[in-house]
Each structure stands twice: as C-alpha cells, then as structure tokens.
Coordinates of all heavy atoms in Angstrom, one line a residue:
M1 N 1.0 -8.9 -13.7 CA 0.3 -7.8 -12.9 C -0.7 -7.1 -13.7 O -1.0 -5.9 -13.5 CB 1.4 -6.9 -12.3 CG 2.2 -7.5 -11.3 SD 3.2 -6.4 -10.2 CE 3.1 -4.8 -10.9
D2 N -1.3 -7.8 -14.7 CA -2.3 -7.1 -15.5 C -3.5 -6.6 -14.8 O -4.1 -5.6 -15.2 CB -2.7 -8.1 -16.6 CG -1.6 -8.4 -17.6 OD1 -0.7 -7.6 -17.7 OD2 -1.7 -9.4 -18.2
D3 N -3.9 -7.2 -13.7 CA -5.0 -6.8 -12.9 C -4.8 -5.7 -12.0 O -5.7 -5.2 -11.3 CB -5.6 -8.0 -12.2 CG -6.1 -9.1 -13.1 OD1 -6.5 -8.7 -14.2 OD2 -6.1 -10.3 -12.7
Y4 N -3.5 -5.3 -11.8 CA -3.2 -4.3 -10.8 C -3.1 -2.9 -11.5 O -2.7 -2.8 -12.7 CB -1.8 -4.5 -10.2 CG -1.8 -5.7 -9.3 CD1 -1.7 -7.0 -9.7 CD2 -1.9 -5.5 -7.9 CE1 -1.8 -8.1 -8.8 CE2 -1.9 -6.5 -7.0 CZ -1.8 -7.8 -7.5 OH -1.9 -8.8 -6.6
E5 N -3.6 -1.9 -10.8 CA -3.5 -0.5 -11.3 C -2.2 0.1 -10.7 O -2.1 0.2 -9.4 CB -4.7 0.3 -10.9 CG -4.7 1.7 -11.4 CD -5.9 2.5 -11.0 OE1 -6.9 1.9 -10.6 OE2 -5.8 3.8 -11.2
R6 N -1.3 0.6 -11.5 CA -0.1 1.3 -11.0 C -0.4 2.7 -10.6 O -1.0 3.5 -11.4 CB 0.9 1.3 -12.1 CG 2.3 1.9 -11.7 CD 3.3 1.9 -12.8 NE 4.6 2.3 -12.4 CZ 5.0 3.6 -12.2 NH1 4.2 4.6 -12.5 NH2 6.2 3.9 -11.8
V7 N -0.1 3.1 -9.4 CA -0.3 4.4 -8.9 C 1.0 5.0 -8.4 O 1.6 4.5 -7.4 CB -1.3 4.4 -7.7 CG1 -1.6 5.8 -7.2 CG2 -2.6 3.7 -8.2
P8 N 1.6 6.0 -9.1 CA 2.9 6.6 -8.7 C 2.8 7.3 -7.4 O 1.8 7.9 -7.1 CB 3.2 7.6 -9.8 CG 2.2 7.3 -10.9 CD 1.0 6.6 -10.3
I9 N 3.8 7.1 -6.6 CA 3.9 7.8 -5.3 C 3.7 9.3 -5.5 O 3.1 10.0 -4.7 CB 5.2 7.5 -4.5 CG1 5.2 6.0 -4.2 CG2 5.3 8.3 -3.3 CD1 4.1 5.5 -3.2
E10 N 4.3 9.8 -6.6 CA 4.2 11.3 -6.8 C 2.8 11.8 -7.0 O 2.5 13.0 -6.8 CB 5.1 11.7 -8.0 CG 4.6 11.1 -9.3 CD 5.6 11.3 -10.4 OE1 6.8 11.4 -10.2 OE2 5.2 11.4 -11.6
D11 N 1.9 10.9 -7.3 CA 0.4 11.3 -7.4 C -0.2 10.9 -6.0 O -1.0 10.0 -5.9 CB -0.3 10.5 -8.5 CG -1.7 11.0 -8.7 OD1 -2.2 11.8 -7.9 OD2 -2.3 10.5 -9.7
W12 N 0.2 11.7 -5.0 CA -0.1 11.4 -3.6 C -1.6 11.3 -3.4 O -2.2 10.5 -2.7 CB 0.5 12.4 -2.7 CG 0.3 11.9 -1.3 CD1 -0.5 12.5 -0.4 CD2 0.8 10.8 -0.6 NE1 -0.6 11.8 0.8 CE2 0.3 10.7 0.7 CE3 1.7 9.8 -1.0 CZ2 0.6 9.7 1.6 CZ3 2.0 8.8 -0.1 CH2 1.5 8.8 1.2
T13 N -2.4 12.2 -4.1 CA -3.8 12.2 -3.9 C -4.4 10.9 -4.3 O -5.3 10.3 -3.6 CB -4.5 13.3 -4.7 OG1 -4.0 14.6 -4.3 CG2 -6.0 13.3 -4.6
A14 N -3.9 10.3 -5.4 CA -4.4 9.0 -5.9 C -4.0 7.9 -5.0 O -4.8 7.0 -4.7 CB -3.9 8.7 -7.3
V15 N -2.8 7.9 -4.5 CA -2.3 6.9 -3.5 C -3.2 6.9 -2.3 O -3.7 5.9 -1.8 CB -0.8 7.2 -3.1 CG1 -0.4 6.3 -1.9 CG2 0.1 7.0 -4.2
A16 N -3.5 8.1 -1.7 CA -4.3 8.2 -0.5 C -5.7 7.7 -0.8 O -6.3 7.0 0.0 CB -4.3 9.7 0.0
D17 N -6.3 8.1 -2.0 CA -7.6 7.7 -2.4 C -7.7 6.1 -2.4 O -8.7 5.5 -1.9 CB -8.1 8.3 -3.7 CG -8.4 9.7 -3.6 OD1 -8.5 10.3 -2.5 OD2 -8.5 10.4 -4.7
H18 N -6.7 5.5 -3.1 CA -6.7 4.0 -3.2 C -6.6 3.4 -1.8 O -7.2 2.4 -1.5 CB -5.6 3.6 -4.1 CG -5.9 3.6 -5.5 ND1 -6.6 2.6 -6.2 CD2 -5.6 4.6 -6.5 CE1 -6.7 2.9 -7.5 NE2 -6.2 4.1 -7.7
L19 N -5.7 3.9 -0.9 CA -5.6 3.4 0.4 C -6.8 3.5 1.2 O -7.2 2.6 1.9 CB -4.4 4.0 1.1 CG -3.0 3.5 0.6 CD1 -1.9 4.3 1.1 CD2 -2.8 2.0 0.9
R20 N -7.5 4.6 1.1 CA -8.8 4.8 1.8 C -9.8 3.8 1.3 O -10.6 3.2 2.1 CB -9.4 6.2 1.6 CG -8.7 7.2 2.5 CD -9.4 8.6 2.4 NE -8.4 9.6 2.4 CZ -8.0 10.3 1.3 NH1 -8.5 10.0 0.1 NH2 -7.1 11.2 1.4
E21 N -9.9 3.6 0.0 CA -10.8 2.6 -0.6 C -10.4 1.2 -0.1 O -11.3 0.4 0.3 CB -10.8 2.6 -2.1 CG -11.6 1.6 -2.8 CD -11.6 1.6 -4.3 OE1 -11.1 2.6 -4.9 OE2 -12.1 0.6 -4.9
F22 N -9.1 0.9 -0.1 CA -8.6 -0.4 0.4 C -9.0 -0.7 1.8 O -9.4 -1.8 2.2 CB -7.1 -0.5 0.3 CG -6.5 -1.8 0.6 CD1 -6.4 -2.8 -0.3 CD2 -5.9 -2.0 1.9 CE1 -5.9 -4.0 0.1 CE2 -5.3 -3.2 2.2 CZ -5.3 -4.2 1.3
A23 N -9.0 0.3 2.7 CA -9.3 0.2 4.1 C -10.7 0.6 4.4 O -11.0 1.1 5.6 CB -8.3 1.0 4.9
A24 N -11.6 0.5 3.5 CA -13.0 1.0 3.8 C -13.6 0.4 5.0 O -14.4 1.1 5.7 CB -13.9 0.7 2.5
D25 N -13.2 -0.8 5.3 CA -13.8 -1.5 6.5 C -12.8 -1.5 7.7 O -12.9 -2.2 8.7 CB -14.3 -2.9 6.2 CG -13.2 -3.7 5.6 OD1 -12.1 -3.2 5.2 OD2 -13.4 -5.0 5.5
G26 N -11.8 -0.7 7.6 CA -10.7 -0.6 8.6 C -10.6 0.9 9.1 O -11.5 1.6 9.1
A27 N -9.3 1.2 9.5 CA -9.0 2.5 10.0 C -7.9 3.2 9.1 O -7.1 2.5 8.5 CB -8.5 2.5 11.4
V28 N -8.0 4.5 8.9 CA -7.1 5.3 8.1 C -6.5 6.4 9.0 O -7.3 7.1 9.6 CB -7.7 5.9 6.9 CG1 -6.7 6.7 6.1 CG2 -8.4 4.8 6.0
D29 N -5.2 6.5 9.0 CA -4.5 7.5 9.8 C -3.6 8.3 8.9 O -2.6 7.7 8.4 CB -3.7 6.9 11.0 CG -3.1 8.0 11.8 OD1 -3.6 9.1 11.9 OD2 -2.1 7.7 12.5
E30 N -4.0 9.6 8.6 CA -3.2 10.4 7.7 C -2.4 11.4 8.4 O -2.9 12.0 9.4 CB -4.1 11.0 6.6 CG -4.8 10.0 5.8 CD -5.7 10.7 4.7 OE1 -5.1 11.5 3.9 OE2 -6.9 10.4 4.7
S31 N -1.2 11.7 8.0 CA -0.4 12.8 8.6 C 0.4 13.5 7.5 O 0.2 13.1 6.3 CB 0.6 12.2 9.6 OG 1.6 11.4 8.9
D32 N 1.1 14.5 7.8 CA 2.0 15.2 6.9 C 3.0 14.3 6.3 O 3.5 14.5 5.1 CB 2.7 16.4 7.5 CG 1.7 17.5 7.9 OD1 0.6 17.5 7.3 OD2 2.0 18.3 8.7
E33 N 3.4 13.2 7.0 CA 4.4 12.3 6.5 C 3.9 11.3 5.6 O 4.5 10.9 4.6 CB 5.0 11.6 7.7 CG 6.1 10.6 7.3 CD 6.7 9.9 8.5 OE1 6.1 9.8 9.6 OE2 7.8 9.2 8.3
G34 N 2.7 10.8 5.8 CA 2.1 9.7 5.0 C 0.8 9.2 5.4 O 0.0 10.0 6.1
I35 N 0.5 8.0 5.1 CA -0.8 7.4 5.4 C -0.7 6.0 5.9 O 0.1 5.2 5.3 CB -1.8 7.5 4.2 CG1 -3.2 7.1 4.6 CG2 -1.3 6.8 3.0 CD1 -4.2 7.4 3.5
E36 N -1.4 5.6 6.9 CA -1.4 4.2 7.4 C -2.8 3.7 7.5 O -3.7 4.4 7.9 CB -0.8 4.2 8.8 CG -0.7 2.8 9.4 CD 0.0 2.7 10.7 OE1 -0.4 3.5 11.6 OE2 0.9 1.9 10.9
V37 N -3.0 2.5 7.0 CA -4.3 1.9 7.0 C -4.1 0.6 7.9 O -3.1 -0.1 7.9 CB -4.8 1.5 5.6 CG1 -5.0 2.8 4.8 CG2 -3.9 0.5 4.9
T38 N -5.2 0.4 8.7 CA -5.2 -0.8 9.5 C -6.5 -1.6 9.1 O -7.6 -1.0 9.1 CB -5.3 -0.4 11.0 OG1 -4.1 0.3 11.3 CG2 -5.3 -1.7 11.9
V39 N -6.3 -2.8 8.8 CA -7.4 -3.7 8.5 C -7.3 -5.0 9.3 O -6.3 -5.7 9.1 CB -7.5 -4.1 7.0 CG1 -8.6 -5.0 6.6 CG2 -7.5 -2.8 6.1
G40 N -8.2 -5.2 10.2 CA -8.0 -6.3 11.1 C -6.8 -6.1 12.0 O -6.5 -5.1 12.5
S41 N -5.9 -7.1 11.9 CA -4.6 -7.0 12.7 C -3.5 -6.6 11.8 O -2.3 -6.7 12.2 CB -4.4 -8.4 13.4 OG -4.3 -9.4 12.4
A42 N -3.7 -6.2 10.6 CA -2.6 -5.9 9.7 C -2.6 -4.4 9.4 O -3.6 -3.7 9.4 CB -2.9 -6.6 8.3
T43 N -1.4 -3.8 9.2 CA -1.2 -2.4 8.9 C -0.3 -2.3 7.6 O 0.5 -3.1 7.4 CB -0.5 -1.7 10.1 OG1 0.8 -2.3 10.3 CG2 -1.3 -1.7 11.3
F44 N -0.6 -1.2 6.9 CA 0.2 -0.9 5.7 C 0.4 0.6 5.8 O -0.5 1.4 5.9 CB -0.6 -1.2 4.4 CG 0.2 -1.0 3.2 CD1 1.0 -2.1 2.7 CD2 0.2 0.2 2.5 CE1 1.8 -1.9 1.6 CE2 1.0 0.4 1.4 CZ 1.8 -0.7 0.9
F45 N 1.7 1.1 5.8 CA 2.1 2.5 5.9 C 2.9 2.9 4.7 O 3.9 2.1 4.3 CB 2.8 2.6 7.2 CG 3.4 4.0 7.4 CD1 2.5 5.1 7.7 CD2 4.7 4.3 7.4 CE1 3.0 6.4 7.9 CE2 5.2 5.6 7.6 CZ 4.4 6.6 7.8
V46 N 2.7 4.0 4.1 CA 3.5 4.5 3.1 C 3.7 6.0 3.3 O 2.8 6.7 3.7 CB 2.9 4.3 1.7 CG1 1.5 4.9 1.5 CG2 3.8 4.7 0.5
T47 N 4.9 6.5 3.0 CA 5.2 7.9 3.2 C 5.2 8.6 1.8 O 5.3 7.9 0.8 CB 6.6 8.1 3.9 OG1 7.6 7.6 3.0 CG2 6.6 7.5 5.2
K48 N 5.2 9.9 1.8 CA 5.2 10.7 0.6 C 6.5 10.5 -0.2 O 6.5 10.8 -1.4 CB 4.8 12.1 0.9 CG 3.4 12.3 1.4 CD 3.1 13.7 1.8 CE 1.7 13.9 2.3 NZ 1.4 15.3 2.7
D49 N 7.5 10.1 0.5 CA 8.8 9.9 -0.2 C 9.0 8.4 -0.6 O 10.1 8.0 -1.0 CB 10.0 10.4 0.6 CG 10.2 9.7 1.9 OD1 9.4 8.8 2.3 OD2 11.2 10.0 2.6
G50 N 8.0 7.6 -0.4 CA 8.1 6.2 -1.0 C 8.5 5.1 0.0 O 8.7 4.0 -0.4
R51 N 8.7 5.4 1.3 CA 9.0 4.4 2.2 C 7.7 3.6 2.5 O 6.6 4.1 2.7 CB 9.5 4.9 3.6 CG 10.9 5.4 3.4 CD 11.5 5.9 4.8 NE 10.7 7.1 5.3 CZ 10.0 7.1 6.4 NH1 10.0 6.0 7.2 NH2 9.4 8.1 6.8
V52 N 7.8 2.3 2.6 CA 6.7 1.4 2.8 C 7.0 0.5 4.0 O 8.1 -0.1 4.1 CB 6.4 0.5 1.6 CG1 5.3 -0.5 1.8 CG2 6.0 1.4 0.4
A53 N 6.0 0.3 4.8 CA 6.2 -0.7 5.9 C 4.8 -1.4 6.1 O 3.8 -0.7 6.0 CB 6.5 0.0 7.2
A54 N 4.8 -2.7 6.3 CA 3.6 -3.4 6.5 C 3.8 -4.4 7.6 O 5.0 -4.9 7.8 CB 3.3 -4.1 5.2
G55 N 2.8 -4.7 8.3 CA 2.9 -5.7 9.4 C 1.6 -6.5 9.6 O 0.5 -6.0 9.4
M56 N 1.9 -7.8 9.8 CA 0.8 -8.7 10.0 C 1.3 -9.6 11.2 O 2.5 -9.6 11.5 CB 0.5 -9.6 8.8 CG 0.0 -8.9 7.7 SD -0.4 -10.0 6.3 CE -1.7 -9.1 5.5
P57 N 0.4 -10.3 11.8 CA 0.9 -11.1 13.0 C 2.1 -12.0 12.7 O 2.9 -12.2 13.6 CB -0.4 -11.9 13.3 CG -1.5 -11.1 12.9 CD -1.0 -10.4 11.6
L58 N 2.2 -12.6 11.5 CA 3.3 -13.5 11.3 C 4.5 -12.9 10.6 O 5.5 -13.6 10.4 CB 2.8 -14.7 10.5 CG 1.8 -15.5 11.3 CD1 1.3 -16.7 10.4 CD2 2.3 -16.0 12.6
H59 N 4.5 -11.7 10.1 CA 5.6 -11.1 9.4 C 5.5 -9.6 9.3 O 4.5 -9.0 9.5 CB 5.7 -11.7 8.0 CG 4.8 -11.1 7.0 ND1 3.5 -11.6 6.9 CD2 4.8 -10.1 6.2 CE1 2.8 -10.9 6.0 NE2 3.6 -10.0 5.5
D60 N 6.7 -9.0 9.1 CA 6.8 -7.5 8.8 C 7.5 -7.3 7.5 O 8.3 -8.2 7.1 CB 7.5 -6.8 9.9 CG 6.8 -6.8 11.2 OD1 5.6 -6.5 11.2 OD2 7.4 -7.0 12.3
F61 N 7.3 -6.2 6.9 CA 8.0 -5.8 5.6 C 8.3 -4.4 5.7 O 7.5 -3.6 6.2 CB 7.1 -6.1 4.4 CG 7.6 -5.6 3.1 CD1 8.5 -6.2 2.4 CD2 7.1 -4.4 2.7 CE1 9.0 -5.7 1.2 CE2 7.6 -3.8 1.5 CZ 8.6 -4.5 0.8
E62 N 9.5 -4.0 5.1 CA 9.8 -2.6 5.0 C 10.7 -2.4 3.8 O 11.6 -3.2 3.5 CB 10.6 -2.1 6.3 CG 10.8 -0.6 6.3 CD 11.2 -0.1 7.7 OE1 11.0 -0.8 8.7 OE2 11.8 0.9 7.7
D63 N 10.5 -1.3 3.1 CA 11.3 -1.0 1.9 C 11.6 0.5 2.0 O 10.7 1.3 2.3 CB 10.6 -1.3 0.6 CG 11.6 -1.3 -0.6 OD1 12.1 -0.2 -0.8 OD2 11.8 -2.3 -1.2
G64 N 12.8 0.9 1.6 CA 13.3 2.3 1.8 C 12.8 3.3 0.7 O 12.8 4.5 1.0
G65 N 12.3 2.8 -0.4 CA 11.8 3.8 -1.4 C 11.3 3.1 -2.6 O 12.0 2.4 -3.3
V66 N 10.0 3.3 -2.9 CA 9.4 2.8 -4.1 C 8.8 3.9 -4.9 O 8.6 5.0 -4.3 CB 8.3 1.8 -3.7 CG1 8.8 0.6 -3.0 CG2 7.1 2.4 -2.9
D67 N 8.7 3.7 -6.2 CA 8.2 4.8 -7.0 C 6.6 4.7 -7.2 O 6.0 5.7 -7.6 CB 8.8 4.6 -8.4 CG 10.3 4.9 -8.4 OD1 10.7 5.7 -7.6 OD2 11.0 4.4 -9.3
A68 N 6.1 3.5 -7.0 CA 4.7 3.3 -7.2 C 4.1 2.2 -6.3 O 4.9 1.3 -5.9 CB 4.4 3.0 -8.7
L69 N 2.8 2.2 -6.1 CA 2.1 1.0 -5.5 C 1.2 0.5 -6.6 O 0.8 1.2 -7.5 CB 1.3 1.5 -4.3 CG 2.1 2.0 -3.2 CD1 1.2 2.5 -2.1 CD2 3.1 1.0 -2.6
Y70 N 0.9 -0.8 -6.5 CA 0.0 -1.5 -7.4 C -1.2 -2.0 -6.7 O -1.0 -2.8 -5.7 CB 0.7 -2.6 -8.1 CG 1.9 -2.1 -8.9 CD1 3.1 -1.9 -8.3 CD2 1.8 -1.9 -10.3 CE1 4.2 -1.4 -9.0 CE2 2.9 -1.4 -11.0 CZ 4.1 -1.2 -10.4 OH 5.2 -0.7 -11.1
F71 N -2.4 -1.6 -7.1 CA -3.6 -1.9 -6.4 C -4.5 -2.9 -7.2 O -4.7 -2.6 -8.4 CB -4.4 -0.7 -6.1 CG -3.8 0.2 -5.0 CD1 -2.9 1.2 -5.4 CD2 -4.1 0.1 -3.7 CE1 -2.3 2.0 -4.5 CE2 -3.5 0.9 -2.7 CZ -2.6 1.9 -3.1
D72 N -5.0 -3.9 -6.6 CA -6.1 -4.7 -7.2 C -7.2 -4.8 -6.1 O -7.1 -5.6 -5.2 CB -5.5 -6.1 -7.5 CG -6.6 -7.0 -8.2 OD1 -7.8 -6.7 -8.1 OD2 -6.2 -8.0 -8.8
H73 N -8.2 -3.9 -6.3 CA -9.3 -3.9 -5.3 C -10.2 -5.1 -5.4 O -10.8 -5.4 -4.4 CB -10.1 -2.6 -5.5 CG -9.3 -1.4 -5.1 ND1 -8.9 -1.1 -3.8 CD2 -8.7 -0.4 -5.9 CE1 -8.2 0.1 -3.8 NE2 -8.1 0.5 -5.1
D74 N -10.2 -5.8 -6.5 CA -11.1 -7.0 -6.6 C -10.5 -8.1 -5.7 O -11.3 -8.8 -5.1 CB -11.2 -7.5 -8.1 CG -11.9 -6.5 -8.9 OD1 -12.8 -5.8 -8.4 OD2 -11.7 -6.5 -10.2
T75 N -9.2 -8.2 -5.7 CA -8.6 -9.3 -4.8 C -8.1 -8.7 -3.5 O -7.5 -9.5 -2.7 CB -7.4 -10.0 -5.5 OG1 -6.4 -9.0 -5.8 CG2 -7.9 -10.6 -6.8
E76 N -8.4 -7.5 -3.2 CA -8.0 -6.8 -2.0 C -6.5 -6.9 -1.7 O -6.1 -7.4 -0.7 CB -8.8 -7.3 -0.8 CG -10.3 -7.0 -1.0 CD -11.1 -7.5 0.1 OE1 -10.9 -8.5 0.7 OE2 -12.1 -6.7 0.4
A77 N -5.7 -6.5 -2.7 CA -4.2 -6.7 -2.6 C -3.5 -5.4 -3.0 O -4.0 -4.6 -3.9 CB -3.8 -7.8 -3.5
I78 N -2.4 -5.1 -2.4 CA -1.5 -4.1 -2.8 C -0.1 -4.7 -3.1 O 0.4 -5.5 -2.3 CB -1.3 -3.0 -1.7 CG1 -2.6 -2.4 -1.3 CG2 -0.3 -1.9 -2.1 CD1 -2.5 -1.6 0.0
R79 N 0.5 -4.4 -4.2 CA 1.9 -4.9 -4.5 C 2.9 -3.8 -4.4 O 2.6 -2.7 -4.8 CB 1.9 -5.5 -5.9 CG 1.2 -6.8 -6.0 CD 1.6 -7.7 -7.1 NE 2.9 -8.1 -7.2 CZ 3.4 -9.1 -6.5 NH1 2.7 -9.9 -5.7 NH2 4.7 -9.5 -6.6
V80 N 4.0 -4.2 -4.0 CA 5.2 -3.3 -3.9 C 6.2 -3.9 -4.8 O 6.6 -5.1 -4.6 CB 5.7 -3.1 -2.5 CG1 7.0 -2.3 -2.4 CG2 4.6 -2.6 -1.5
E81 N 6.7 -3.2 -5.8 CA 7.7 -3.7 -6.7 C 8.8 -2.7 -6.9 O 8.6 -1.5 -7.0 CB 7.1 -4.0 -8.1 CG 6.0 -5.0 -8.2 CD 6.5 -6.4 -8.1 OE1 7.6 -6.7 -8.4 OE2 5.6 -7.3 -7.8
G82 N 10.1 -3.2 -6.9 CA 11.2 -2.3 -7.1 C 12.5 -3.0 -6.9 O 12.6 -3.7 -5.9
G83 N 13.4 -2.9 -7.8 CA 14.7 -3.5 -7.6 C 14.6 -5.0 -7.4 O 14.0 -5.7 -8.2
D84 N 15.1 -5.5 -6.3 CA 15.0 -6.9 -6.0 C 13.7 -7.2 -5.1 O 13.6 -8.3 -4.6 CB 16.2 -7.4 -5.3 CG 17.5 -7.3 -6.1 OD1 17.3 -7.4 -7.4 OD2 18.6 -7.2 -5.6
V85 N 12.9 -6.2 -4.9 CA 11.8 -6.4 -4.0 C 10.5 -6.7 -4.8 O 10.1 -6.0 -5.7 CB 11.6 -5.1 -3.2 CG1 10.3 -5.2 -2.3 CG2 12.8 -4.8 -2.3
S86 N 9.8 -7.7 -4.3 CA 8.4 -8.0 -4.8 C 7.6 -8.5 -3.6 O 7.9 -9.5 -3.0 CB 8.4 -9.0 -5.8 OG 7.1 -9.3 -6.3
Y87 N 6.6 -7.7 -3.1 CA 5.9 -8.0 -1.9 C 4.4 -7.7 -2.2 O 4.0 -6.7 -2.9 CB 6.4 -7.1 -0.8 CG 5.5 -7.2 0.5 CD1 5.7 -8.3 1.3 CD2 4.6 -6.2 0.8 CE1 4.9 -8.4 2.5 CE2 3.9 -6.3 2.0 CZ 4.0 -7.4 2.8 OH 3.3 -7.5 3.9
E88 N 3.6 -8.6 -1.7 CA 2.1 -8.4 -1.9 C 1.5 -8.4 -0.5 O 1.7 -9.3 0.3 CB 1.5 -9.5 -2.7 CG 0.0 -9.3 -2.9 CD -0.5 -10.2 -4.0 OE1 -0.9 -11.4 -3.6 OE2 -0.6 -9.9 -5.2
F89 N 0.7 -7.3 -0.2 CA 0.0 -7.2 1.0 C -1.5 -7.4 0.7 O -2.1 -6.8 -0.2 CB 0.1 -5.7 1.5 CG -0.6 -5.4 2.8 CD1 0.0 -5.7 4.0 CD2 -1.9 -4.9 2.8 CE1 -0.7 -5.4 5.2 CE2 -2.5 -4.6 4.0 CZ -1.9 -4.9 5.2
R90 N -2.1 -8.4 1.4 CA -3.5 -8.7 1.3 C -4.2 -8.5 2.6 O -3.7 -8.7 3.6 CB -3.7 -10.2 0.8 CG -3.2 -10.5 -0.6 CD -3.5 -11.9 -0.9 NE -3.2 -12.2 -2.3 CZ -4.1 -12.0 -3.3 NH1 -5.3 -11.7 -3.1 NH2 -3.7 -12.3 -4.5
K91 N -5.5 -8.2 2.4 CA -6.3 -8.0 3.6 C -6.4 -9.4 4.3 O -6.5 -10.4 3.7 CB -7.7 -7.6 3.3 CG -7.9 -6.1 3.0 CD -9.3 -5.8 2.8 CE -9.5 -4.3 2.4 NZ -10.9 -4.0 2.2
P92 N -6.3 -9.4 5.7 CA -6.4 -10.7 6.4 C -7.8 -11.2 6.3 O -8.7 -10.6 6.1 CB -6.0 -10.3 7.8 CG -6.0 -8.8 7.9 CD -6.0 -8.3 6.5

C-alpha cells in the first residue's frame, strides 16, 4: 500500500477533503453524521465514528468501525483496512 495515503478518521477535515477530491466529478452529501460521495452508480459513505458503507451495482460492503481510510488519487481508489477486512473501492 505504498501508493496510498493513510488518513485517520479522527482527522475528519482531511477525510472530507480527500472524499471531495475523489468525487470531483460526482456528488458529495455531507451531514453531521458523515459524508457520502456518489460517482456514477457507486456510493461510498463514511461516518465520523468510522462506519463505512459502499455500494455498486454488483456488490455492497459495510464495516462497523475503521480507524483510517487509504486514498490513492492517481488510481482513483480508496482502501479500507482493519482486522480481517480488506476492501478497495474504485471509481466505476
């Protein structure tokens, strides 16, 4: 994961900034709870307490609590890592 930038959930401003950049050509919906980005037919949602949910036409993903997200803007990907979970969300 050398190409990924680790962004701790506790640095919420940085998380939101990275998600806005990730969804520059999509939609961003921010609330007191968290932020959801929609790019094409895919969505990625993260809350301030680290819950993550993602959905694409062929699959859904949800995790109850992560400490950080990993961004690689060059490949347009977000990774979720923690415990037994390893998930990568890519722009469709």
Side-chain angles (χ1 to χ4, degrees):
M1 289 196 348
D2 292 338
D3 295 333
Y4 287 82
E5 180 179 348
R6 183 180 188 277
V7 181
I9 296 295
E10 64 190 29
D11 187 354
W12 186 252
T13 300
V15 169
D17 287 347
H18 277 276
L19 286 169
R20 280 189 222 98
E21 179 181 345
F22 184 81
D25 55 348
V28 178
D29 183 24
E30 297 182 59
S31 69
D32 291 338
E33 182 183 14
I35 185 169
E36 180 176 49
V37 297
T38 303
V39 181
S41 60
T43 60
F44 187 90
F45 176 69
V46 62
T47 63
K48 294 177 180 178
D49 63 357
R51 287 183 296 118
V52 174
M56 293 184 156
L58 299 178
H59 76 275
D60 291 318
F61 169 81
E62 189 168 338
D63 192 298
V66 298
D67 293 331
L69 298 176
Y70 298 82
F71 292 88
D72 184 341
H73 293 289
D74 292 335
T75 62
E76 299 183 322
I78 303 170
R79 287 199 62 83
V80 177
E81 299 284 340
D84 296 333
V85 174
S86 180
Y87 174 77
E88 184 170 85
F89 180 86
R90 290 185 174 268
K91 284 186 180 179

